[in-house]
Amino acid sequence: MTAMNGTGMLLRLNLRLDRIQLPAWFLGFFILVWASVIAIKDAYPTPEALATRAQLLHNPAAVMMTGPLLATDDYTLGAALANELSLYVFLPAAIMSVLLVVRHTRAEEESGRLEMLGALPISRFAPASATVLTLVIANLLVAIAVTAGLIAAGAATTDSIAFGVATGLTGMVFGGVAAVTAQVSEFAGPARGTALGFIALAFVVRGIGDVIDPQGSWLSWLSPFAWAQQTRLYVDLRWWPLLISLGVAVLLFLIAAALNHRRDLGAGLRAGADGPAEAHRYLLSPAGLAWRLRRGGFIAWGVGLFLLAAAMGSLANELEPMVESTPDLASWVPLDVDSLTESFAAVILSFNMLAPAALMVGGVLAIRGEEYAGRLEKVLLTGTSRTGFIAGWGAVITSLSILVTVVLGLGVGAGVSATTGDWAWLGETALASAAYLPVVLFFGGLSLALYGWAPRFTLLAWLLVAWSALVSFLGELLNLPDWARGISPLWHIPLVPEADVKVAPLLVLTGLAVVLALVGLAGFRRRDLADR
């Protein structure tokens, strides 16, 4: 048996498992890039508008959220794409790669499926090899989607190809990071969380480095995101930084292969610490279990999102000159020039409210993973009722989601307050965030209804989150009809604190959330466990 025996079979299995995710990622990247280029073109149609936008980028918060300042003296559309779009294309590619690698490595070991496959005539390295090839195919599709989206929107061909290659190689680097963390940790959750933590660290390191030197300091070069951004797309294209990404990706996969050879199947290089002899009393309840399993993710995301919201809010003082030079800006961002700061705070708050909605969906649908892993059945065997489990789990996820919603309101207010000197914004935006709680509850109710009756269709909840994001960011620009925008629950919430709160949509969304949750509970009580 050769060292690669069985790789082809496992690759076909991986592609079969990812038959929905890979096309979805491809389509998502294409739409994201194409729509973003069109949006930037329409928002900054003249050299004067682009020059004014370039001045906004001198704000340290803007540098943290975008990238190095390239060609600010002659800020072209291409420079805007490189400075403002690239990071938010590289980020999802990195996240996709981490999720894919952990799913096909550590998660397969944890579930026991990889041990079963080991009974077949396959080599020890076949699963890892198949995972790497799957990752290559996924990032190749992403690179093609990014390139096609840029070219379709009218961007220069050569730089667009470089943009796509940079996106794919950035995904490969973080896929390599995930391959290493999957060898170290014994469980999929910590392996995934550690790799995602490296993404966050790379984001922060690049941001601080670019603040130190707007062209990119030595600190910036410690981040894989900087290697891609320093290709200087559409400004002064250079390919050699991508060789760093390629070399590091190969090195990481070689390290992962060596570590894989040193450990037993199902074990991690770092043995898990022994727990207490007796579990804490709160773990005996579904609410305690949910708190123990989900608190880490909510806390990590809450801190990161708070900092991002504060950074976005800190741009409030930079808006007036940009609006004066770009009167068409209101055609895709609903800003009121008569109350610019208040209008800006309302728009930024609405953008940030997508995050707690997504966390709510993820928290509710985590029950599905517990069910298919067989752990939920063991909990129910202890005498816990299905209703009690859903009630306890749902109460914790709802409470955490509400907390994140208010924290994001505080974040926006903190940013606006810091840049305007008026600290009344802190309380105003925090109070305004409460208007979005019915939306968060609606997403939770929808997720539970889908999980209760049709677990295989829970992806619909995520599709609604994605559609809501499209409506929020590009609804005005794409001239979507009201019926299409109305599919997004966020569209029904007025832009507070600028607009007056309307009670009717809040009551309707809350009522729908309660009804959907009850429907989902009824479905969960009726169906068999692990019924897909």
Side-chain angles (χ1 to χ4, degrees), residues 313 316-317 319 333-350 412 416 420 422 424-425 428-429 432 436 494-501:
N317 264 4
L319 291 172
V333 178
L335 294 176
D336 185 351
V337 295
D338 295 328
S339 55
L340 197 54
T341 301
E342 189 175 25
S343 177
F344 173 76
V347 171
I348 294 300
L349 184 64
S350 69
V412 174
V416 176
T420 62
D422 182 3
W425 284 106
E428 190 167 352
T429 54
Y436 290 94
L495 289 174
V496 290
E498 179 194 21
D500 295 330
V501 176

PDB file of all heavy atoms in Angstrom, residues 313 316-317 319 333-350 412 416 420 422 424-425 428-429 432 436 494-501:
ATOM      1  N   GLY A 313     -17.777  53.597  14.539  1.00  0.00           N
ATOM      2  CA  GLY A 313     -18.389  54.802  15.073  1.00  0.00           C
ATOM      3  C   GLY A 313     -17.441  55.976  15.136  1.00  0.00           C
ATOM      4  O   GLY A 313     -17.862  57.140  15.042  1.00  0.00           O
ATOM      5  N   ALA A 316     -17.247  59.168  12.605  1.00  0.00           N
ATOM      6  CA  ALA A 316     -18.347  60.131  12.503  1.00  0.00           C
ATOM      7  C   ALA A 316     -17.869  61.526  12.117  1.00  0.00           C
ATOM      8  O   ALA A 316     -18.527  62.227  11.336  1.00  0.00           O
ATOM      9  CB  ALA A 316     -19.117  60.181  13.821  1.00  0.00           C
ATOM     10  N   ASN A 317     -16.753  61.973  12.636  1.00  0.00           N
ATOM     11  CA  ASN A 317     -16.293  63.335  12.374  1.00  0.00           C
ATOM     12  C   ASN A 317     -15.722  63.525  10.983  1.00  0.00           C
ATOM     13  O   ASN A 317     -15.453  64.650  10.569  1.00  0.00           O
ATOM     14  CB  ASN A 317     -15.217  63.740  13.402  1.00  0.00           C
ATOM     15  CG  ASN A 317     -15.812  64.524  14.546  1.00  0.00           C
ATOM     16  OD1 ASN A 317     -17.024  64.706  14.610  1.00  0.00           O
ATOM     17  ND2 ASN A 317     -14.974  64.965  15.459  1.00  0.00           N
ATOM     18  N   LEU A 319     -17.174  62.619   8.131  1.00  0.00           N
ATOM     19  CA  LEU A 319     -18.196  62.445   7.100  1.00  0.00           C
ATOM     20  C   LEU A 319     -18.510  63.712   6.314  1.00  0.00           C
ATOM     21  O   LEU A 319     -18.774  63.659   5.114  1.00  0.00           O
ATOM     22  CB  LEU A 319     -19.486  61.927   7.738  1.00  0.00           C
ATOM     23  CG  LEU A 319     -19.422  60.494   8.272  1.00  0.00           C
ATOM     24  CD1 LEU A 319     -20.675  60.188   9.035  1.00  0.00           C
ATOM     25  CD2 LEU A 319     -19.235  59.535   7.129  1.00  0.00           C
ATOM     26  N   VAL A 333     -26.386  54.891   0.764  1.00  0.00           N
ATOM     27  CA  VAL A 333     -26.340  54.903   2.223  1.00  0.00           C
ATOM     28  C   VAL A 333     -27.293  55.986   2.695  1.00  0.00           C
ATOM     29  O   VAL A 333     -27.102  57.158   2.363  1.00  0.00           O
ATOM     30  CB  VAL A 333     -24.923  55.189   2.759  1.00  0.00           C
ATOM     31  CG1 VAL A 333     -24.945  55.231   4.276  1.00  0.00           C
ATOM     32  CG2 VAL A 333     -23.953  54.122   2.282  1.00  0.00           C
ATOM     33  N   PRO A 334     -28.351  55.654   3.438  1.00  0.00           N
ATOM     34  CA  PRO A 334     -29.371  56.646   3.820  1.00  0.00           C
ATOM     35  C   PRO A 334     -28.880  57.622   4.875  1.00  0.00           C
ATOM     36  O   PRO A 334     -29.217  57.521   6.053  1.00  0.00           O
ATOM     37  CB  PRO A 334     -30.511  55.766   4.345  1.00  0.00           C
ATOM     38  CG  PRO A 334     -29.845  54.529   4.821  1.00  0.00           C
ATOM     39  CD  PRO A 334     -28.675  54.306   3.924  1.00  0.00           C
ATOM     40  N   LEU A 335     -28.057  58.605   4.432  1.00  0.00           N
ATOM     41  CA  LEU A 335     -27.552  59.634   5.338  1.00  0.00           C
ATOM     42  C   LEU A 335     -28.332  60.922   5.157  1.00  0.00           C
ATOM     43  O   LEU A 335     -28.599  61.343   4.033  1.00  0.00           O
ATOM     44  CB  LEU A 335     -26.060  59.889   5.070  1.00  0.00           C
ATOM     45  CG  LEU A 335     -25.100  58.732   5.375  1.00  0.00           C
ATOM     46  CD1 LEU A 335     -23.686  59.101   4.958  1.00  0.00           C
ATOM     47  CD2 LEU A 335     -25.138  58.385   6.860  1.00  0.00           C
ATOM     48  N   ASP A 336     -28.674  61.551   6.247  1.00  0.00           N
ATOM     49  CA  ASP A 336     -29.376  62.828   6.244  1.00  0.00           C
ATOM     50  C   ASP A 336     -28.355  63.929   6.516  1.00  0.00           C
ATOM     51  O   ASP A 336     -27.770  64.001   7.611  1.00  0.00           O
ATOM     52  CB  ASP A 336     -30.463  62.834   7.325  1.00  0.00           C
ATOM     53  CG  ASP A 336     -31.317  64.100   7.276  1.00  0.00           C
ATOM     54  OD1 ASP A 336     -30.959  65.029   6.518  1.00  0.00           O
ATOM     55  OD2 ASP A 336     -32.320  64.159   8.003  1.00  0.00           O
ATOM     56  N   VAL A 337     -28.115  64.791   5.528  1.00  0.00           N
ATOM     57  CA  VAL A 337     -27.079  65.821   5.668  1.00  0.00           C
ATOM     58  C   VAL A 337     -27.435  66.837   6.747  1.00  0.00           C
ATOM     59  O   VAL A 337     -26.557  67.542   7.249  1.00  0.00           O
ATOM     60  CB  VAL A 337     -26.849  66.534   4.319  1.00  0.00           C
ATOM     61  CG1 VAL A 337     -26.281  65.570   3.299  1.00  0.00           C
ATOM     62  CG2 VAL A 337     -28.141  67.154   3.800  1.00  0.00           C
ATOM     63  N   ASP A 338     -28.698  66.955   7.105  1.00  0.00           N
ATOM     64  CA  ASP A 338     -29.101  67.922   8.127  1.00  0.00           C
ATOM     65  C   ASP A 338     -28.803  67.423   9.542  1.00  0.00           C
ATOM     66  O   ASP A 338     -28.697  68.217  10.474  1.00  0.00           O
ATOM     67  CB  ASP A 338     -30.595  68.236   7.994  1.00  0.00           C
ATOM     68  CG  ASP A 338     -30.907  68.939   6.674  1.00  0.00           C
ATOM     69  OD1 ASP A 338     -30.045  69.694   6.192  1.00  0.00           O
ATOM     70  OD2 ASP A 338     -32.001  68.705   6.138  1.00  0.00           O
ATOM     71  N   SER A 339     -28.703  66.124   9.723  1.00  0.00           N
ATOM     72  CA  SER A 339     -28.335  65.547  11.029  1.00  0.00           C
ATOM     73  C   SER A 339     -27.361  64.403  10.762  1.00  0.00           C
ATOM     74  O   SER A 339     -27.677  63.236  10.986  1.00  0.00           O
ATOM     75  CB  SER A 339     -29.573  65.051  11.770  1.00  0.00           C
ATOM     76  OG  SER A 339     -30.304  64.137  10.971  1.00  0.00           O
ATOM     77  N   LEU A 340     -26.187  64.777  10.269  1.00  0.00           N
ATOM     78  CA  LEU A 340     -25.267  63.801   9.710  1.00  0.00           C
ATOM     79  C   LEU A 340     -24.767  62.803  10.757  1.00  0.00           C
ATOM     80  O   LEU A 340     -24.749  61.598  10.515  1.00  0.00           O
ATOM     81  CB  LEU A 340     -24.079  64.528   9.067  1.00  0.00           C
ATOM     82  CG  LEU A 340     -23.225  63.710   8.100  1.00  0.00           C
ATOM     83  CD1 LEU A 340     -24.086  63.083   7.022  1.00  0.00           C
ATOM     84  CD2 LEU A 340     -22.147  64.584   7.489  1.00  0.00           C
ATOM     85  N   THR A 341     -24.373  63.299  11.914  1.00  0.00           N
ATOM     86  CA  THR A 341     -23.826  62.394  12.928  1.00  0.00           C
ATOM     87  C   THR A 341     -24.877  61.409  13.415  1.00  0.00           C
ATOM     88  O   THR A 341     -24.625  60.202  13.536  1.00  0.00           O
ATOM     89  CB  THR A 341     -23.278  63.200  14.115  1.00  0.00           C
ATOM     90  OG1 THR A 341     -22.263  64.094  13.650  1.00  0.00           O
ATOM     91  CG2 THR A 341     -22.686  62.268  15.162  1.00  0.00           C
ATOM     92  N   GLU A 342     -26.065  61.898  13.677  1.00  0.00           N
ATOM     93  CA  GLU A 342     -27.141  61.021  14.136  1.00  0.00           C
ATOM     94  C   GLU A 342     -27.514  60.009  13.070  1.00  0.00           C
ATOM     95  O   GLU A 342     -27.730  58.831  13.354  1.00  0.00           O
ATOM     96  CB  GLU A 342     -28.353  61.859  14.524  1.00  0.00           C
ATOM     97  CG  GLU A 342     -29.453  61.058  15.207  1.00  0.00           C
ATOM     98  CD  GLU A 342     -30.582  61.937  15.685  1.00  0.00           C
ATOM     99  OE1 GLU A 342     -30.767  63.032  15.119  1.00  0.00           O
ATOM    100  OE2 GLU A 342     -31.279  61.534  16.625  1.00  0.00           O
ATOM    101  N   SER A 343     -27.576  60.460  11.825  1.00  0.00           N
ATOM    102  CA  SER A 343     -27.904  59.569  10.723  1.00  0.00           C
ATOM    103  C   SER A 343     -26.825  58.502  10.557  1.00  0.00           C
ATOM    104  O   SER A 343     -27.113  57.321  10.352  1.00  0.00           O
ATOM    105  CB  SER A 343     -28.055  60.375   9.434  1.00  0.00           C
ATOM    106  OG  SER A 343     -28.313  59.532   8.340  1.00  0.00           O
ATOM    107  N   PHE A 344     -25.555  58.925  10.654  1.00  0.00           N
ATOM    108  CA  PHE A 344     -24.448  57.980  10.515  1.00  0.00           C
ATOM    109  C   PHE A 344     -24.484  56.939  11.625  1.00  0.00           C
ATOM    110  O   PHE A 344     -24.303  55.739  11.382  1.00  0.00           O
ATOM    111  CB  PHE A 344     -23.124  58.744  10.546  1.00  0.00           C
ATOM    112  CG  PHE A 344     -21.910  57.864  10.585  1.00  0.00           C
ATOM    113  CD1 PHE A 344     -21.474  57.209   9.448  1.00  0.00           C
ATOM    114  CD2 PHE A 344     -21.206  57.689  11.765  1.00  0.00           C
ATOM    115  CE1 PHE A 344     -20.355  56.396   9.480  1.00  0.00           C
ATOM    116  CE2 PHE A 344     -20.083  56.889  11.811  1.00  0.00           C
ATOM    117  CZ  PHE A 344     -19.659  56.240  10.665  1.00  0.00           C
ATOM    118  N   ALA A 345     -24.706  57.381  12.856  1.00  0.00           N
ATOM    119  CA  ALA A 345     -24.770  56.442  13.977  1.00  0.00           C
ATOM    120  C   ALA A 345     -25.887  55.421  13.771  1.00  0.00           C
ATOM    121  O   ALA A 345     -25.726  54.232  14.081  1.00  0.00           O
ATOM    122  CB  ALA A 345     -24.981  57.210  15.282  1.00  0.00           C
ATOM    123  N   ALA A 346     -27.019  55.869  13.235  1.00  0.00           N
ATOM    124  CA  ALA A 346     -28.143  54.958  13.000  1.00  0.00           C
ATOM    125  C   ALA A 346     -27.800  53.914  11.940  1.00  0.00           C
ATOM    126  O   ALA A 346     -28.126  52.729  12.088  1.00  0.00           O
ATOM    127  CB  ALA A 346     -29.374  55.759  12.574  1.00  0.00           C
ATOM    128  N   VAL A 347     -27.137  54.353  10.857  1.00  0.00           N
ATOM    129  CA  VAL A 347     -26.774  53.421   9.783  1.00  0.00           C
ATOM    130  C   VAL A 347     -25.759  52.403  10.286  1.00  0.00           C
ATOM    131  O   VAL A 347     -25.881  51.194  10.048  1.00  0.00           O
ATOM    132  CB  VAL A 347     -26.219  54.197   8.569  1.00  0.00           C
ATOM    133  CG1 VAL A 347     -25.625  53.232   7.547  1.00  0.00           C
ATOM    134  CG2 VAL A 347     -27.323  55.028   7.934  1.00  0.00           C
ATOM    135  N   ILE A 348     -24.722  52.878  10.988  1.00  0.00           N
ATOM    136  CA  ILE A 348     -23.706  51.970  11.502  1.00  0.00           C
ATOM    137  C   ILE A 348     -24.304  50.985  12.500  1.00  0.00           C
ATOM    138  O   ILE A 348     -23.966  49.793  12.524  1.00  0.00           O
ATOM    139  CB  ILE A 348     -22.565  52.773  12.155  1.00  0.00           C
ATOM    140  CG1 ILE A 348     -21.822  53.583  11.091  1.00  0.00           C
ATOM    141  CG2 ILE A 348     -21.592  51.846  12.880  1.00  0.00           C
ATOM    142  CD1 ILE A 348     -21.208  52.749   9.998  1.00  0.00           C
ATOM    143  N   LEU A 349     -25.232  51.457  13.321  1.00  0.00           N
ATOM    144  CA  LEU A 349     -25.893  50.568  14.278  1.00  0.00           C
ATOM    145  C   LEU A 349     -26.668  49.472  13.559  1.00  0.00           C
ATOM    146  O   LEU A 349     -26.605  48.299  13.949  1.00  0.00           O
ATOM    147  CB  LEU A 349     -26.824  51.382  15.177  1.00  0.00           C
ATOM    148  CG  LEU A 349     -27.518  50.611  16.310  1.00  0.00           C
ATOM    149  CD1 LEU A 349     -26.491  50.073  17.300  1.00  0.00           C
ATOM    150  CD2 LEU A 349     -28.529  51.499  17.025  1.00  0.00           C
ATOM    151  N   SER A 350     -27.371  49.840  12.488  1.00  0.00           N
ATOM    152  CA  SER A 350     -28.142  48.835  11.747  1.00  0.00           C
ATOM    153  C   SER A 350     -27.224  47.803  11.105  1.00  0.00           C
ATOM    154  O   SER A 350     -27.542  46.609  11.071  1.00  0.00           O
ATOM    155  CB  SER A 350     -29.011  49.510  10.693  1.00  0.00           C
ATOM    156  OG  SER A 350     -28.226  50.058   9.651  1.00  0.00           O
ATOM    157  N   VAL A 412     -20.865  51.273  19.225  1.00  0.00           N
ATOM    158  CA  VAL A 412     -21.097  52.370  18.283  1.00  0.00           C
ATOM    159  C   VAL A 412     -21.109  53.700  19.023  1.00  0.00           C
ATOM    160  O   VAL A 412     -20.494  54.685  18.587  1.00  0.00           O
ATOM    161  CB  VAL A 412     -22.418  52.157  17.511  1.00  0.00           C
ATOM    162  CG1 VAL A 412     -22.734  53.372  16.643  1.00  0.00           C
ATOM    163  CG2 VAL A 412     -22.328  50.908  16.639  1.00  0.00           C
ATOM    164  N   VAL A 416     -18.593  56.976  18.452  1.00  0.00           N
ATOM    165  CA  VAL A 416     -19.115  58.307  18.117  1.00  0.00           C
ATOM    166  C   VAL A 416     -18.775  59.307  19.227  1.00  0.00           C
ATOM    167  O   VAL A 416     -18.380  60.447  18.959  1.00  0.00           O
ATOM    168  CB  VAL A 416     -20.632  58.247  17.879  1.00  0.00           C
ATOM    169  CG1 VAL A 416     -21.194  59.643  17.626  1.00  0.00           C
ATOM    170  CG2 VAL A 416     -20.959  57.335  16.695  1.00  0.00           C
ATOM    171  N   THR A 420     -16.587  62.766  18.771  1.00  0.00           N
ATOM    172  CA  THR A 420     -17.344  64.023  18.843  1.00  0.00           C
ATOM    173  C   THR A 420     -17.197  64.721  20.190  1.00  0.00           C
ATOM    174  O   THR A 420     -17.470  65.920  20.296  1.00  0.00           O
ATOM    175  CB  THR A 420     -18.846  63.768  18.594  1.00  0.00           C
ATOM    176  OG1 THR A 420     -19.356  62.896  19.606  1.00  0.00           O
ATOM    177  CG2 THR A 420     -19.063  63.154  17.218  1.00  0.00           C
ATOM    178  N   ASP A 422     -19.069  64.122  22.713  1.00  0.00           N
ATOM    179  CA  ASP A 422     -20.387  64.136  23.348  1.00  0.00           C
ATOM    180  C   ASP A 422     -20.701  62.716  23.826  1.00  0.00           C
ATOM    181  O   ASP A 422     -21.104  61.856  23.044  1.00  0.00           O
ATOM    182  CB  ASP A 422     -21.443  64.609  22.355  1.00  0.00           C
ATOM    183  CG  ASP A 422     -22.831  64.683  22.979  1.00  0.00           C
ATOM    184  OD1 ASP A 422     -22.948  64.425  24.198  1.00  0.00           O
ATOM    185  OD2 ASP A 422     -23.791  64.999  22.248  1.00  0.00           O
ATOM    186  N   ALA A 424     -23.067  61.601  25.510  1.00  0.00           N
ATOM    187  CA  ALA A 424     -24.478  61.213  25.559  1.00  0.00           C
ATOM    188  C   ALA A 424     -24.783  60.127  24.527  1.00  0.00           C
ATOM    189  O   ALA A 424     -25.763  59.382  24.667  1.00  0.00           O
ATOM    190  CB  ALA A 424     -25.365  62.429  25.321  1.00  0.00           C
ATOM    191  N   TRP A 425     -23.944  60.057  23.478  1.00  0.00           N
ATOM    192  CA  TRP A 425     -24.159  59.040  22.443  1.00  0.00           C
ATOM    193  C   TRP A 425     -24.052  57.631  23.012  1.00  0.00           C
ATOM    194  O   TRP A 425     -24.676  56.698  22.494  1.00  0.00           O
ATOM    195  CB  TRP A 425     -23.141  59.213  21.318  1.00  0.00           C
ATOM    196  CG  TRP A 425     -23.438  60.349  20.405  1.00  0.00           C
ATOM    197  CD1 TRP A 425     -22.796  61.557  20.332  1.00  0.00           C
ATOM    198  CD2 TRP A 425     -24.480  60.397  19.426  1.00  0.00           C
ATOM    199  NE1 TRP A 425     -23.375  62.348  19.373  1.00  0.00           N
ATOM    200  CE2 TRP A 425     -24.407  61.654  18.804  1.00  0.00           C
ATOM    201  CE3 TRP A 425     -25.466  59.495  19.031  1.00  0.00           C
ATOM    202  CZ2 TRP A 425     -25.295  62.032  17.796  1.00  0.00           C
ATOM    203  CZ3 TRP A 425     -26.345  59.865  18.029  1.00  0.00           C
ATOM    204  CH2 TRP A 425     -26.253  61.122  17.425  1.00  0.00           C
ATOM    205  N   GLU A 428     -27.408  56.710  24.220  1.00  0.00           N
ATOM    206  CA  GLU A 428     -28.432  56.808  23.177  1.00  0.00           C
ATOM    207  C   GLU A 428     -28.382  55.626  22.227  1.00  0.00           C
ATOM    208  O   GLU A 428     -29.419  55.051  21.878  1.00  0.00           O
ATOM    209  CB  GLU A 428     -28.254  58.121  22.415  1.00  0.00           C
ATOM    210  CG  GLU A 428     -29.406  58.419  21.471  1.00  0.00           C
ATOM    211  CD  GLU A 428     -29.375  59.849  20.954  1.00  0.00           C
ATOM    212  OE1 GLU A 428     -28.541  60.634  21.455  1.00  0.00           O
ATOM    213  OE2 GLU A 428     -30.169  60.168  20.062  1.00  0.00           O
ATOM    214  N   THR A 429     -27.203  55.259  21.787  1.00  0.00           N
ATOM    215  CA  THR A 429     -27.106  54.127  20.855  1.00  0.00           C
ATOM    216  C   THR A 429     -27.356  52.795  21.568  1.00  0.00           C
ATOM    217  O   THR A 429     -27.887  51.858  20.959  1.00  0.00           O
ATOM    218  CB  THR A 429     -25.735  54.099  20.168  1.00  0.00           C
ATOM    219  OG1 THR A 429     -24.699  54.113  21.170  1.00  0.00           O
ATOM    220  CG2 THR A 429     -25.561  55.294  19.246  1.00  0.00           C
ATOM    221  N   ALA A 432     -30.995  52.603  21.685  1.00  0.00           N
ATOM    222  CA  ALA A 432     -31.527  52.372  20.337  1.00  0.00           C
ATOM    223  C   ALA A 432     -31.349  50.928  19.906  1.00  0.00           C
ATOM    224  O   ALA A 432     -32.169  50.391  19.137  1.00  0.00           O
ATOM    225  CB  ALA A 432     -30.834  53.310  19.350  1.00  0.00           C
ATOM    226  N   TYR A 436     -33.755  46.604  17.998  1.00  0.00           N
ATOM    227  CA  TYR A 436     -33.419  45.488  17.116  1.00  0.00           C
ATOM    228  C   TYR A 436     -33.574  44.134  17.796  1.00  0.00           C
ATOM    229  O   TYR A 436     -33.381  43.099  17.148  1.00  0.00           O
ATOM    230  CB  TYR A 436     -31.981  45.638  16.613  1.00  0.00           C
ATOM    231  CG  TYR A 436     -31.803  46.775  15.647  1.00  0.00           C
ATOM    232  CD1 TYR A 436     -31.408  48.028  16.081  1.00  0.00           C
ATOM    233  CD2 TYR A 436     -32.054  46.601  14.288  1.00  0.00           C
ATOM    234  CE1 TYR A 436     -31.256  49.083  15.191  1.00  0.00           C
ATOM    235  CE2 TYR A 436     -31.905  47.648  13.398  1.00  0.00           C
ATOM    236  CZ  TYR A 436     -31.508  48.884  13.856  1.00  0.00           C
ATOM    237  OH  TYR A 436     -31.361  49.923  12.967  1.00  0.00           O
ATOM    238  N   PRO A 494     -36.992  50.944  11.925  1.00  0.00           N
ATOM    239  CA  PRO A 494     -36.545  52.286  11.541  1.00  0.00           C
ATOM    240  C   PRO A 494     -35.107  52.523  11.994  1.00  0.00           C
ATOM    241  O   PRO A 494     -34.624  51.888  12.936  1.00  0.00           O
ATOM    242  CB  PRO A 494     -37.527  53.208  12.273  1.00  0.00           C
ATOM    243  CG  PRO A 494     -38.048  52.389  13.408  1.00  0.00           C
ATOM    244  CD  PRO A 494     -38.076  50.975  12.932  1.00  0.00           C
ATOM    245  N   LEU A 495     -34.434  53.438  11.304  1.00  0.00           N
ATOM    246  CA  LEU A 495     -33.041  53.726  11.609  1.00  0.00           C
ATOM    247  C   LEU A 495     -32.958  54.575  12.879  1.00  0.00           C
ATOM    248  O   LEU A 495     -32.849  55.794  12.838  1.00  0.00           O
ATOM    249  CB  LEU A 495     -32.375  54.437  10.428  1.00  0.00           C
ATOM    250  CG  LEU A 495     -32.131  53.567   9.185  1.00  0.00           C
ATOM    251  CD1 LEU A 495     -31.605  54.394   8.034  1.00  0.00           C
ATOM    252  CD2 LEU A 495     -31.176  52.428   9.506  1.00  0.00           C
ATOM    253  N   VAL A 496     -32.996  53.899  13.997  1.00  0.00           N
ATOM    254  CA  VAL A 496     -32.853  54.566  15.291  1.00  0.00           C
ATOM    255  C   VAL A 496     -31.354  54.749  15.568  1.00  0.00           C
ATOM    256  O   VAL A 496     -30.532  53.946  15.098  1.00  0.00           O
ATOM    257  CB  VAL A 496     -33.510  53.729  16.407  1.00  0.00           C
ATOM    258  CG1 VAL A 496     -35.010  53.745  16.251  1.00  0.00           C
ATOM    259  CG2 VAL A 496     -33.003  52.280  16.371  1.00  0.00           C
ATOM    260  N   PRO A 497     -30.974  55.806  16.292  1.00  0.00           N
ATOM    261  CA  PRO A 497     -31.802  56.783  17.011  1.00  0.00           C
ATOM    262  C   PRO A 497     -32.275  57.964  16.168  1.00  0.00           C
ATOM    263  O   PRO A 497     -32.945  58.844  16.706  1.00  0.00           O
ATOM    264  CB  PRO A 497     -30.848  57.254  18.108  1.00  0.00           C
ATOM    265  CG  PRO A 497     -29.504  57.169  17.484  1.00  0.00           C
ATOM    266  CD  PRO A 497     -29.547  55.961  16.594  1.00  0.00           C
ATOM    267  N   GLU A 498     -31.952  57.998  14.867  1.00  0.00           N
ATOM    268  CA  GLU A 498     -32.382  59.141  14.068  1.00  0.00           C
ATOM    269  C   GLU A 498     -33.893  59.137  13.874  1.00  0.00           C
ATOM    270  O   GLU A 498     -34.562  60.161  14.029  1.00  0.00           O
ATOM    271  CB  GLU A 498     -31.695  59.125  12.704  1.00  0.00           C
ATOM    272  CG  GLU A 498     -32.112  60.270  11.799  1.00  0.00           C
ATOM    273  CD  GLU A 498     -31.683  60.051  10.358  1.00  0.00           C
ATOM    274  OE1 GLU A 498     -31.439  58.904   9.977  1.00  0.00           O
ATOM    275  OE2 GLU A 498     -31.600  61.045   9.629  1.00  0.00           O
ATOM    276  N   ALA A 499     -34.451  58.000  13.520  1.00  0.00           N
ATOM    277  CA  ALA A 499     -35.889  57.900  13.241  1.00  0.00           C
ATOM    278  C   ALA A 499     -36.646  57.544  14.516  1.00  0.00           C
ATOM    279  O   ALA A 499     -36.084  57.024  15.490  1.00  0.00           O
ATOM    280  CB  ALA A 499     -36.139  56.852  12.162  1.00  0.00           C
ATOM    281  N   ASP A 500     -37.937  57.831  14.494  1.00  0.00           N
ATOM    282  CA  ASP A 500     -38.801  57.476  15.614  1.00  0.00           C
ATOM    283  C   ASP A 500     -39.107  55.981  15.585  1.00  0.00           C
ATOM    284  O   ASP A 500     -39.262  55.374  14.512  1.00  0.00           O
ATOM    285  CB  ASP A 500     -40.107  58.265  15.557  1.00  0.00           C
ATOM    286  CG  ASP A 500     -39.876  59.758  15.731  1.00  0.00           C
ATOM    287  OD1 ASP A 500     -38.901  60.124  16.426  1.00  0.00           O
ATOM    288  OD2 ASP A 500     -40.658  60.550  15.174  1.00  0.00           O
ATOM    289  N   VAL A 501     -39.194  55.397  16.755  1.00  0.00           N
ATOM    290  CA  VAL A 501     -39.511  53.977  16.862  1.00  0.00           C
ATOM    291  C   VAL A 501     -40.976  53.742  16.516  1.00  0.00           C
ATOM    292  O   VAL A 501     -41.859  54.462  16.992  1.00  0.00           O
ATOM    293  CB  VAL A 501     -39.214  53.462  18.280  1.00  0.00           C
ATOM    294  CG1 VAL A 501     -39.640  52.004  18.420  1.00  0.00           C
ATOM    295  CG2 VAL A 501     -37.736  53.620  18.599  1.00  0.00           C
TER     296      VAL A 501
END
